[in-house]
Amino acid sequence: FSEKEKTGGKKGKSEKKSKKEKTCLPPEEQCEFFNNNIELKVAKILKIENNPEAEKLYIETLDDGSGKERIIQSGLREFLSPEELIGKNVIIVSNLQSRKIRGVESRGMLLAASFKDGEKECVEVLQAPWAKPGDKVVLEGESTSNEEKLEISGDEFFKVQIKAQNHNVQIAGKNLMAAGKALTMDKTENGGVH
């Protein structure tokens, strides 16, 4: 059997990681690509339901500042309770192409990072509690634009590496900012944000 046949057509984690690494732009090109193509926004989690067709997925209803509720699904169910998420101002990829996941359309992606607490694998969502829904996330020194960016695929989003470096959330060494303040991770000191 091929690896694809063994896993039912799904790629293993190592295959996914190598694909992401292959599609990532060189650091010197990432900031320009981010500014021109990727739209991150602050969104407030209003409600969370379990996806009945997937034991690891939450269906989150968010206020993204547009006046219309947005639905995003995330694989946070085994890491965080609804009570730990409801009411939080999180960061989303707002121009990611929507796709149907286990029967429910997901319109974007919520950003989070993994960290270890002893031997336990944990996840921390990227938050901006000082910002309001709809605030755009920009690179330090860049201004916000009112122009809506075109939808992008997941492959296009992963051309840019968002990382926590000493708790600061950055792209190619430049801090990401929301409402004039740098985004940081409380528990993730160094690692990928996805």
Side-chain angles (χ1 to χ4, degrees), residues 123-183:
V123 172
E124 173 182 16
V125 295
L126 183 54
Q127 298 181 57
W130 62 88
K132 65 183 185 309
D135 283 351
K136 292 187 180 180
V137 175
V138 297
L139 287 167
E140 189 170 25
E142 302 289 332
S143 59
T144 59
S145 166
N146 288 331
E147 285 183 39
E148 292 290 318
K149 294 189 173 127
L150 298 175
E151 282 190 345
I152 60 170
S153 68
D155 286 343
E156 289 172 300
F157 172 73
F158 286 112
K159 286 183 177 185
V160 171
Q161 287 185 320
I162 302 174
K163 296 180 180 179
Q165 297 285 342
N166 296 316
H167 298 281
N168 293 308
V169 180
Q170 302 177 336
I171 295 174
K174 288 187 85 174
N175 290 332
L176 285 172
M177 313 283 288
K181 188 173 175 183
L183 296 175

Side-chain angles (χ1 to χ4, degrees), residues 18-184:
S18 64
K19 184 177 178 186
K20 277 186 204 174
E21 288 169 358
K22 285 182 197 173
T23 62
C24 194
L25 292 169
E28 62 275 9
E29 296 176 26
Q30 291 184 31
C31 292
E32 182 179 358
F33 187 85
F34 174 82
N35 288 336
N36 293 332
N37 299 287
I38 298 173
E39 186 167 84
L40 303 183
K41 283 185 183 177
V42 176
K44 184 174 188 168
I45 299 176
L46 303 173
K47 180 172 82 171
I48 294 180
E49 301 170 72
N50 294 336
N51 183 321
E53 295 184 28
E55 65 185 44
K56 294 182 179 183
L57 292 177
Y58 279 140
I59 301 168
E60 295 124 351
T61 302
L62 301 112
D63 171 6
D64 66 0
S66 68
K68 290 177 19 179
E69 290 182 345
R70 176 186 289 258
I71 302 291
I72 289 181
Q73 292 195 73
S74 67
L76 297 174
R77 210 161 134 183
E78 66 183 293
F79 301 103
L80 298 165
S81 70
E83 295 76 27
E84 292 173 292
L85 295 167
I86 293 173
K88 302 286 188 215
N89 284 357
V90 297
I91 307 302
I92 63 168
V93 185
S94 62
N95 67 326
L96 195 64
Q97 289 172 344
S98 63
R99 60 180 244 195
K100 198 168 252 191
I101 304 171
R102 300 290 179 110
V104 178
E105 188 172 350
S106 182
R107 294 181 43 242
M109 182 170 75
L110 186 149
L111 295 181
S114 300
F115 69 95
K116 287 220 177 220
D117 184 6
E119 291 298 311
K120 185 180 175 193
E121 190 71 31
C122 301
V123 172
E124 173 182 16
V125 295
L126 183 54
Q127 298 181 57
W130 62 88
K132 65 183 185 309
D135 283 351
K136 292 187 180 180
V137 175
V138 297
L139 287 167
E140 189 170 25
E142 302 289 332
S143 59
T144 59
S145 166
N146 288 331
E147 285 183 39
E148 292 290 318
K149 294 189 173 127
L150 298 175
E151 282 190 345
I152 60 170
S153 68
D155 286 343
E156 289 172 300
F157 172 73
F158 286 112
K159 286 183 177 185
V160 171
Q161 287 185 320
I162 302 174
K163 296 180 180 179
Q165 297 285 342
N166 296 316
H167 298 281
N168 293 308
V169 180
Q170 302 177 336
I171 295 174
K174 288 187 85 174
N175 290 332
L176 285 172
M177 313 283 288
K181 188 173 175 183
L183 296 175
T184 60

